[in-house]
Structure formats: C-alpha cells, structure tokens
Amino acid sequence: MAVPDETREELADALYDALRTKSPIGRLTAEHDLSMADAYDIQTRFIDRRLDDGAEIVGHKIGLTSDGIQEQLGVDEPDYGRLLDTMFVEGREIPGEDLIQPRIEPEIGFVMEEPLEPPVTYLDVLDATGSVLPVVEVIDSRVRDWDIRIQDTIADNASSALYVAGEQTSLANTDLSLEGVKLYKNGTLESSGVGAAVLDHPARSVAWLANTLSDLDERIESGHVVLSGSLTPAVDLAPGDVVSVEFTSIGTVNARLAEE
C-alpha cells in the first residue's frame, strides 16, 4: 500500500531542503515503508521543485547496473534518475558548494539522435545513438553517510549530482562491451573496468531504461543524454582532488573538485 500523498510530499521537501542546505537527512526507509512506486513518485516531486527553480530535463542517468551493487542493495534491476541542465559542469572545475559527500564514477554517455520507441533492444539503442561521450559522473547522497536502501536512492534522484563530459565520438567500429576505462585520482590508479560490467553492454542499460519509461508514458527523446552506468565501483572525492578517466577509444576526461 502506497504511503499517503502528504508523506511523499514531505519527503520530497526534505530531500530538496537537504540539497539546498547541504545538511543530509536520515534514511527515508527508516521510518517509512516505501514501495518502488512511492520512491519514484518522491523523485518526481523532488525534481519538480528543481524545475520550478528553472532547471530543465536533458536526459537520464542509470544506476545499480553492476551485479555487486545490486546484490548489496538486494535488487535485481537498475534504477534511474533525471539529468538536469544544471547538473552539467562547464569546463573541468567541479563546483563543491552544493555537494555533501561526493563520489565519482566513470560512465559512457549516449547522445540520442532519434527517440526510442518500445519495445527496445540494445541494437535499437545503437541505431538511435548519434554519438557517445566519456563521462565523469559525480554522485552524492542527501541521505546521511550513504546509509541507503534502494528506495532511498531512487527517491534521491538515483543519488545524482553533477557530470563532466568529454568530446563526442562516433560509435563506428567500437564495441562498447569491450571498452576499457582507468580511473585515476591524484595520479594514482584507483580502479579500472570494462563496458561489459554494465549489464553486459552499456546499450542494454539504455534499452532497459527506454522500456521502463514506456510503462510511465515517458520516453528517451532525440537530443537527450543518457548516462548508462558506472564501469567501476565509485571512488570518494574530496576538495582539491584531481581525477582522470581514460577510456580505451572514446576519450579522456580530466576534472578537479574545487576547494571551498
């Protein structure tokens, strides 16, 4: 049974206030028995408050795409959040004034040339993709100490914060399931991975999103950017840290978290 409408409204307000004040809140699921539907409804309300501030939706991000994190949270499918234009970082300096407990993930971003009409396969995604981007996604949690369950991260817009992107590149002759990445922080190799870590192929992740959105009468539009999921475990980020994400063939992204 869904939690009352007024409760979902209050939880969206709490997440929005945490975002504005940089004061994290306790786990939503500690006091409320939230269903997945409840969590996505709270996410929508949370995003609506940011749209009221002038932001625009420019795409989506997909999370929980690895077996390890799904097992950790006790789920068997990914989740998603909305990408806002205000989440895109111009240049390479990541602003830290709105972040609480940031982490970074290397991802492959898809720039859609055509909308995706379900049912969608990963081959449909590849056909509809205009280009791909190397991306450093900055994730964050408005829930204290990352003490989250699946419903908490969904309500919190899939724990999204910001993203830095490199140059667009063609998909021609690139097998994204074999695309490798190395993640460096302050010159030290922190993690490495391959595209197959994302549901066996990053385009499968995008297909999952397209088919999931169709149940909500939504779709991935032409021009939208989709962050398909991390190729490695997340790495903590502190003010002054310099990161470099080096993909095998689609490019490199360098960024630094500004010191407050």
Side-chain angles (χ1 to χ4, degrees):
M1 182 178 179
V3 299
D5 184 81
E6 63 181 30
T7 300
R8 284 176 273 144
E9 193 75 4
E10 290 169 359
L11 294 176
D13 278 336
L15 289 167
Y16 180 67
D17 288 343
L19 173 70
R20 290 190 306 107
T21 65
K22 290 184 59 175
S23 299
I25 60 177
R27 179 164 52 87
L28 279 60
T29 52
E31 297 184 5
H32 304 282
D33 185 16
L34 301 177
S35 67
M36 301 283 270
D38 289 329
Y40 277 115
D41 183 68
I42 294 166
Q43 179 191 126
T44 297
R45 294 167 190 248
F46 177 34
I47 291 297
D48 283 345
R49 284 152 177 75
R50 300 174 71 176
L51 299 181
D52 288 342
D53 288 338
E56 294 183 4
I57 293 175
V58 295
H60 292 81
K61 66 145 290 179
I62 306 168
L64 312 184
T65 52
S66 72
D67 291 340
I69 189 64
Q70 287 186 10
E71 290 173 6
Q72 180 181 340
L73 291 180
V75 297
D76 59 4
E77 68 175 18
D79 70 350
Y80 71 86
R82 277 81 166 192
L83 279 188
L84 305 176
D85 59 345
T86 51
M87 294 165 61
F88 176 68
V89 176
E90 297 278 359
R92 295 294 177 262
E93 189 88 346
I94 299 169
E97 63 267 18
D98 294 329
L99 300 175
I100 301 173
Q101 42 199 351
R103 297 173 176 175
I104 54 169
E105 297 179 331
E107 308 212 7
I108 296 173
F110 288 70
V111 182
M112 307 314 302
E113 189 172 61
E114 301 172 8
L116 289 171
E117 301 287 355
V120 175
T121 69
Y122 86 100
L123 294 176
D124 296 325
V125 171
L126 296 176
D127 287 343
T129 299
S131 58
V132 291
L133 298 162
V135 173
V136 171
E137 184 185 8
V138 182
I139 60 173
D140 200 4
S141 182
R142 272 60 69 170
V143 178
R144 191 175 299 110
D145 299 326
W146 283 96
D147 177 25
I148 54 175
R149 305 294 184 268
I150 178 64
Q151 294 90 340
D152 299 293
T153 186
I154 289 173
D156 193 20
N157 198 31
S159 301
S160 59
L162 303 167
Y163 70 101
V164 187
E167 298 296 322
Q168 297 185 28
T169 187
S170 169
L171 264 176
N173 302 317
T174 301
D175 184 345
L176 294 180
S177 68
L178 301 178
E179 183 71 10
V181 70
K182 294 181 178 180
L183 169 58
Y184 295 88
K185 185 172 76 171
N186 301 326
T188 300
L189 179 64
E190 292 283 340
S191 193
S192 61
V194 67
V198 181
L199 300 188
D200 296 328
H201 193 296
R204 294 189 188 278
S205 177
V206 181
W208 170 86
L209 174 65
N211 292 323
T212 299
L213 289 177
S214 71
D215 294 335
L216 305 172
D217 295 323
E218 298 180 35
R219 69 175 185 175
I220 300 173
E221 301 288 354
S222 174
H224 274 188
V225 175
V226 180
L227 307 188
S228 55
S230 182
L231 279 67
T232 75
V235 172
D236 291 340
L237 193 63
D241 282 345
V242 176
V243 297
S244 179
V245 166
E246 300 179 359
F247 284 89
T248 303
S249 60
I250 68 171
T252 296
V253 182
N254 300 303
R256 175 182 180 273
L257 180 59
E259 298 187 58
E260 299 182 45

